[in-house]
Amino acid sequence: MTTGRIQPQIWKPWEEIDDDYLELVKNWKDPYPTPQLVEHDGILVVRDDLLNAGSKVRFVDYLIGSNTDINEWVFGSCPATGYAQISLPIVCKRHNKKAVLFMAKRNEKNLTEYQKRGIELGVDYHWVDNGMLTVTQKRAKDYAAESADRMVLPLGLEHPTVLGSIIKVARNLPIQPTEVWTVGSSGTLNRGLQFAWPNATIHVVSVGHTMNEREIGRAIYHRSEYKFDQPVKENEMPPFPSAPTYDAKAWKFIQEFSDKKGATLFWNVGA
């Protein structure tokens, strides 16, 4: 059964309540193992690095699996070190779909480990000369518009069913955190967790563009001093596998600003 193509103009705005998002995925069950919670330095860490695929394999599963009329999922907003290159082809393969990515062209010798793995996983890469984000997004949008069985995914994979899936996975964890930390670029995961735990204090460490008010939501905002593709220094890495250009950038802020008076949780997307 298909839920039909969900068009952007009817996506619910961020301000709407969590129950609306949960209703969209009420019959969905996370097909991946329950996230493992491991304590590190007094912080409960969601160790989704253990998936070796990124948390988004959970969160886009319903979206990709339920839209049976879509055969190609197209994305033009993935950075060179982005986990979407891994998550999307894994979920697409599970549902017999095709993952198509438009990305800035690189010399073969300069491909990131994420891109090399994306190739191994069967991503259909469209390499774009001078591929600034606005250009790759436009190319992806134009490509998707050429056929009714293609759909372009938004920045951060933000979609109502993705937010609903984040809420559902988070609330199924055996914890009610009082403080929650994530990194953020588009902020999709962080906003989903804001819905999941409305009484928790939420922190987001920005690692990409300067996040706007809607992207931040109700989170306490921190800004990493590192450039987006710059890895953290070795002495700032957390004591567990974590993406050095992404999740790991939060650890220093957690050590400095977490109150650690209650249950503090950090969501580690990948490594």
Side-chain angles (χ1 to χ4, degrees), residues 5 64 87 93 101 136 159 183 196 208 221 225 249:
R5 184 180 289 227
I64 290 174
S87 301
K93 184 176 181 180
L101 268 68
T136 56
H159 186 277
V183 295
Y221 180 81
E225 69 274 21
K249 291 176 180 176

Side-chain angles (χ1 to χ4, degrees), residues 58-69:
R58 306 181 189 277
F59 305 143
V60 300
D61 182 76
Y62 176 84
L63 174 63
I64 290 174
S66 63
N67 284 277
T68 56
D69 57 334

Side-chain angles (χ1 to χ4, degrees), residues 10-121:
I10 64 168
W11 291 3
K12 295 177 184 294
W14 142 250
E15 291 83 2
E16 296 211 18
I17 61 173
D18 54 351
D19 287 346
D20 290 341
Y21 295 120
L22 279 172
E23 180 66 19
L24 295 171
V25 295
K26 63 181 180 181
N27 296 320
W28 172 75
K29 183 179 179 181
D30 183 4
Y32 298 94
T34 301
Q36 291 192 35
L37 285 171
V38 182
E39 186 174 328
H40 295 276
D41 295 349
I43 307 298
L44 284 170
V45 180
V46 173
R47 291 289 308 275
D48 259 2
D49 57 282
L50 297 171
L51 279 175
N52 199 30
S55 293
K56 283 191 170 77
V57 291
R58 306 181 189 277
F59 305 143
V60 300
D61 182 76
Y62 176 84
L63 174 63
I64 290 174
S66 63
N67 284 277
T68 56
D69 57 334
I70 303 300
N71 293 316
E72 295 186 34
W73 290 89
V74 187
F75 195 43
S77 305
C78 187
T81 54
Y83 246 99
Q85 299 170 96
I86 299 169
S87 301
L88 279 179
I90 287 174
V91 179
C92 282
K93 184 176 181 180
R94 182 172 184 271
H95 295 288
N96 297 312
K97 312 288 185 177
K98 183 178 181 181
V100 182
L101 268 68
F102 284 76
M103 298 189 69
K105 188 175 183 179
R106 283 184 166 225
N107 185 295
E108 225 174 275
K109 295 179 180 178
N110 294 329
L111 293 177
T112 67
E113 293 305 313
Y114 298 81
Q115 291 172 324
K116 291 175 183 177
R117 188 164 175 215
I119 292 171
E120 292 173 358
L121 289 168

